[in-house]
């Protein structure tokens, strides 16, 4: 895994951050560790949730995310499936096949 | 013009609609299927549900299909039916391979030499473009097949609908 780190800044509800800090105190870690852990779990679950996976595929079909982004979200194999299905949406292909 | 189809695509096309896509398929193209696919269709037809009835409808239409034996390529990490369909499509230099295994479609595509992979939703659009189906008939077929093949929420199928 890459060790490159990116600094991010965001606003979050105060109560959520308080709870995050409380859990960090329990684990003897810090806010960042808890947030990174939570984010990793969420992204991993999202990649296995059919509904979210279809949302991701839809964004790829509509050119809202790139193939590289798709691959990073759903993995290489699923991304290859969605790439083939995206090609199937090409209207020129319909015309070419209709000529056969 | 040779078309090879795997079990998934044939079950989809066999789903009962007024337009009867499986008959349009055999009417319009020279359709070749591997023996393994016929065996799989018989297995599906042995159940008592809508997929079974779809498989039965295809088996009843086998007069219009040529069934051939093909040796499987052990290197393909695919089920026997898909494996045989891919091998036959490559061997016969088919124009199209009809396949609906969305979860393995990348692998199927990568295993084809010079054959165009075509899913059933796409194939229905091709029949529409050829004037063999009206847009509303395609829509009805997609509804019916989607219900039986559990395509609800599939964003690819949704986008095919938007093309109508």
């Amino acid at each position: 895994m890459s060790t490159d780190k990116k600094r991010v800044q965001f606003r979050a509800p105060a109560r959520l951050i308080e709870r995050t800090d409380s859990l960090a105190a329990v684990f003897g870690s810090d806010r960042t560790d808890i947030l990174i852990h939570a984010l990793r779990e969420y992204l991993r679950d999202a990649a296995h949730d059919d509904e979210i996976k279809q949302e991701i595929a839809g964004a790829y079909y509509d050119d809202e995310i790139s193939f590289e982004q798709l691959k990073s979200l759903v993995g290489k194999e699923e991304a290859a499936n969605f790439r083939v299905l995206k090609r199937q949406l090409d209207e020129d292909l319909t015309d070419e096949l209709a000529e056969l | 013009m040779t078309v090879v189809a795997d079990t998934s695509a044939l079950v989809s096309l066999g789903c009962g609609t007024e337009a009867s896509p499986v008959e349009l398929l055999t009417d319009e193209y020279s359709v070749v299927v591997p023996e393994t696919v016929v065996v799989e269709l018989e297995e599906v037809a042995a159940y008592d549900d809508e997929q079974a009835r779809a498989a039965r409808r295809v088996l009843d239409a086998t007069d219009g299909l040529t069934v051939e034996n093909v040796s499987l390529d052990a290197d393909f990490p695919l089920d026997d039916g898909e494996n045989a369909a891919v091998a036959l499509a490559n061997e016969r230099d088919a124009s199209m391979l009809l396949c609906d295994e969305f979860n393995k479609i990348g692998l199927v595509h990568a295993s084809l030499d010079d054959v165009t992979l075509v899913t059933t939703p796409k194939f229905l659009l091709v029949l529409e473009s050829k004037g063999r189906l009206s847009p509303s008939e395609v829509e009805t077929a997609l509804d019916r097949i989607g219900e039986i093949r559990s395509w609800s929420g599939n964003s690819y199928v949704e986008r095919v609908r938007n093309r109508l």
Side-chain angles (χ1 to χ4, degrees):
Chain A
M1 190 175 285
S2 161
T3 51
D4 280 353
K5 296 223 161 90
K6 196 168 183 173
R7 186 178 186 90
V8 287
Q9 223 178 352
F10 60 93
R11 287 178 194 280
R15 180 80 188 110
L16 197 61
I17 298 303
E18 278 162 26
R19 286 167 65 198
T20 305
D21 289 343
S22 302
L23 194 63
V26 171
F27 290 152
S29 59
D30 59 26
R31 185 188 285 172
T32 305
D33 281 339
I34 301 290
L35 290 174
I36 288 174
H37 184 78
L39 196 55
R40 262 197 202 121
E41 285 220 339
Y42 176 76
L43 290 170
R44 196 189 53 211
D45 290 350
H48 290 102
D49 180 307
D50 281 342
E51 219 167 293
I52 297 179
K53 215 154 48 176
Q54 288 302 324
E55 284 285 325
I56 295 169
Y60 171 64
Y61 300 147
D62 298 342
D63 294 322
E64 285 159 9
I65 59 169
S66 68
F67 181 68
E68 286 308 312
Q69 287 174 307
L70 173 75
K71 214 160 62 175
S72 73
L73 288 170
V74 299
K76 212 161 51 178
E77 268 178 42
E78 284 278 15
N81 290 334
F82 295 143
R83 176 151 67 178
V84 171
L85 291 176
K86 184 173 183 176
R87 282 198 198 123
Q88 294 279 304
L89 291 168
D90 181 352
E91 295 190 44
D92 291 342
L93 179 63
T94 310
D95 297 337
E96 279 168 35
L97 292 170
E99 293 298 315
L100 293 177
Chain B
M1 232 280 292
T2 304
V3 171
V4 174
D6 88 338
T7 312
S8 61
L10 287 172
V11 169
S12 294
L13 291 169
C15 290
T17 60
E18 279 176 35
S20 187
V22 72
E23 276 159 33
L24 289 178
L25 168 72
T26 53
D27 194 31
E28 194 77 29
Y29 303 97
S30 155
V31 186
V32 188
V33 297
E35 178 75 39
T36 320
V37 163
V38 176
V39 172
E40 285 186 356
L41 285 170
E42 278 162 359
E43 283 167 9
V44 176
Y47 291 86
D48 180 23
D49 57 16
E50 286 296 328
Q51 293 217 28
R53 282 182 274 286
R56 176 53 54 200
R57 217 167 275 126
V58 177
L59 289 166
D60 289 345
T62 41
D63 281 353
L65 308 174
T66 307
V67 181
E68 283 191 10
N69 265 316
V70 65
S71 45
L72 300 186
D73 188 330
D75 289 341
F76 294 161
L78 297 167
D79 291 348
D80 284 356
E82 294 146 18
N83 193 335
V86 166
L88 187 62
N90 284 337
E91 197 180 288
R92 293 288 304 260
D93 206 11
S95 306
M96 295 190 227
L97 171 71
L98 302 183
C99 175
D100 275 359
E101 289 295 347
F102 295 159
N103 293 327
K104 289 186 205 151
I105 209 101
L107 266 177
V108 172
H109 172 79
S111 312
L112 289 171
D113 296 339
D114 197 22
V115 183
T116 307
L117 177 71
V118 183
T119 62
T120 299
K122 183 65 164 185
F123 184 65
L124 295 173
L125 291 183
V126 172
L127 289 175
E128 188 222 344
S129 173
K130 284 169 98 70
R132 299 296 307 258
L133 288 175
S134 69
S136 71
E137 283 171 327
V138 172
E139 202 160 347
T140 310
L142 283 174
D143 286 346
R144 180 84 182 123
I145 299 169
E147 213 176 282
I148 296 170
R149 301 291 317 271
S150 310
W151 283 349
S152 122
N154 185 297
S155 49
Y156 163 66
V157 180
E158 276 168 19
R159 275 151 188 80
V160 169
R161 266 173 213 284
N162 296 340
R163 299 285 191 273
L164 289 167

